[in-house]
C-alpha cells in the first residue's frame, strides 16, 4: 500500500484475512495498528521507494518468509473479526 494518507486500513485487513503479508509506506493514520513490522509485513518510511521495491523482491524470492508472514497476518486479522470486536465493545460499554 503506498498512500500517504489512509482511513481505516480495510484493504490491509482484507489481505491479512487471506493470509497475505503486506508492504506499505508509513502514512499518518491507520496501518500501524494492523501491521506488525517484520512479523505480518513491512512498514517503510513514506519516501523509501527503493526499500519498497527491495521488500517486494525479498518476498518474491523467499516462499518461507511469505508463508510465515501470511500466517501471522491471518492470526492478526482474527482480532478484527466481528465477534471479537463485539466482545470488546460490550466489555467497554459494561465497564
Amino acid at each position: 500500500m503506498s498512500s500517504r494518507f489512509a482511513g481505516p486500513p480495510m484493504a490491509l485487513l482484507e489481505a491479512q484475512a487471506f493470509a497475505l503479508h503486506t508492504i506499505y509506506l508509513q502514512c499518518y493514520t491507520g496501518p500501524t495498528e494492523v501491521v506488525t513490522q517484520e512479523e505480518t509485513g513491512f512498514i517503510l518510511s513514506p519516501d523509501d521507494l527503493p526499500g519498497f521495491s527491495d521488500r517486494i523482491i525479498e518476498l518474491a524470492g523467499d516462499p518461507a518468509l511469505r508463508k510465515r508472514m501470511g500466517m501471522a497476518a491471518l492470526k492478526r486479522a482474527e482480532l478484527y473479526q466481528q465477534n471479537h470486536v463485539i466482545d470488546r465493545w460490550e466489555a467497554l460499554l459494561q465497564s
Side-chain angles (χ1 to χ4, degrees):
M1 180 174 270
S2 60
S3 62
R4 291 186 182 268
F5 301 94
M10 292 305 299
L12 294 176
L13 289 169
E14 290 165 351
Q16 289 181 339
F18 284 93
L20 297 173
H21 55 277
T22 55
I23 305 169
Y24 85 93
L25 300 177
Q26 175 68 45
C27 61
Y28 301 103
T29 59
T32 54
E33 298 171 16
V34 176
V35 177
T36 304
Q37 176 71 330
E38 297 184 16
E39 182 181 324
T40 63
F42 294 106
I43 304 167
L44 305 169
S45 65
D47 298 319
D48 189 5
L49 297 181
F52 192 78
S53 61
D54 289 346
R55 296 295 74 78
I56 292 171
I57 292 167
E58 178 181 0
L59 286 164
D62 191 340
L65 178 62
R66 288 194 311 268
K67 183 169 179 98
R68 180 178 59 79
M69 285 185 148
M71 296 312 295
L74 178 61
K75 186 174 180 179
R76 176 76 178 184
E78 291 172 359
L79 297 175
Y80 295 91
Q81 289 181 351
Q82 182 177 355
N83 60 322
H84 292 288
V85 173
I86 289 171
D87 290 345
R88 290 192 310 231
W89 270 107
E90 287 177 345
L92 175 66
L93 294 172
Q94 292 174 2
S95 63

